[in-house]
Amino acid sequence: MTLSRRIVLAGLMAATTLAPLAALAQAASPAAAAAKTERVQFATTAGKFTIEVYPDAAPKTVANFMEYVKSGFYSGTIFHRVINGFMVQGGGYDRDMKEKPTRAPIPLEAQNGLKNKAGTVAMARTSNPNSATAQFFVNVVDNPNLDYPQPDGNGYAVFGKVVEGMDTIDKIKTTPTTAYGAMRNVPAAPIVIESATVVTK
């Protein structure tokens, strides 16, 4: 066998050996892993909607939100603040308007490049920027006044977006509202979150 032929055969054997390894490496690569995106489907008395979360942009916010989802915290909570032309907010009160106890608040992640556009999901908070716990809201219009550094130098942290069922959000936003004690914009008929379930695409 000539030297040149031995070199060619050795090259073919090396390529055959390395091909499966290359395939395994590709399957384990971050790009391949990133193909699966976590989503959460909410079933409510007004219908269903699904949000996609963005852990790369808001890791602490998403981790906190997903813990509440997986623990079943949102089941039985309501959309307690609904303002058409602004947003719908829920995830903190039960249908008797009693606030559910939560875990410790999380740091604000509003400087993540995500904007409060129609259909995006962000964390609700008090005047303290690092006070978000379980309550979230869905923007029903573009709300640039909530983007960092608006409205108070801190902004509101967007961490996801409605990818299915925006018609349910549209139904929620037009529901008649009333006052309940000191709270305004409370749906007259409770809109209850029956379940929040993790789904993978």
Side-chain angles (χ1 to χ4, degrees):
M1 182 183 293
T2 65
L3 177 61
S4 60
R5 188 174 179 188
R6 285 200 300 271
I7 292 172
V8 170
L9 286 173
L12 288 172
M13 290 176 65
T16 303
T17 304
L18 292 174
L21 295 176
L24 287 172
Q26 184 178 6
S29 70
K36 289 187 177 180
T37 303
E38 274 196 309
R39 294 183 173 188
V40 176
Q41 182 183 78
F42 284 86
T44 80
T45 50
K48 295 180 179 180
F49 66 93
T50 301
I51 71 169
E52 185 173 87
V53 295
Y54 304 128
D56 289 346
K60 293 177 181 177
T61 305
V62 169
N64 174 71
F65 176 75
M66 295 303 288
E67 279 193 50
Y68 281 114
V69 169
K70 293 173 182 177
S71 71
F73 177 91
Y74 290 119
S75 297
T77 61
I78 62 171
F79 280 90
H80 64 275
R81 187 170 176 236
V82 171
I83 305 175
N84 196 5
F86 183 35
M87 56 92 233
V88 299
Q89 180 176 335
Y93 291 82
D94 64 20
R95 63 186 307 148
D96 296 321
M97 290 299 291
K98 292 180 180 178
E99 191 168 8
K100 293 186 70 172
T102 63
R103 299 191 310 274
I106 57 173
L108 182 68
E109 292 182 310
Q111 298 184 54
N112 61 17
L114 301 178
K115 306 299 182 183
N116 284 274
K117 294 184 175 295
T120 59
V121 186
M123 292 305 295
R125 61 173 177 81
T126 67
S127 57
N128 176 355
N130 301 308
S131 61
T133 53
Q135 292 186 39
F136 62 90
F137 62 90
V138 180
N139 291 288
V140 299
V141 296
D142 291 351
N143 286 311
N145 56 308
L146 301 182
D147 295 337
Y148 174 84
Q150 302 297 323
D152 56 1
N154 298 295
Y156 286 77
V158 172
F159 67 94
K161 183 178 182 179
V162 175
V163 291
E164 294 176 7
M166 196 63 192
D167 56 327
T168 296
I169 300 299
D170 291 339
K171 184 176 179 180
I172 294 171
K173 76 181 183 183
T174 58
T175 192
T177 60
T178 186
Y180 189 95
M183 296 182 69
R184 302 290 182 269
N185 309 116
V186 179
I191 299 173
V192 183
I193 295 173
E194 298 170 328
S195 65
T197 308
V198 179
V199 293
T200 303
K201 183 180 178 182

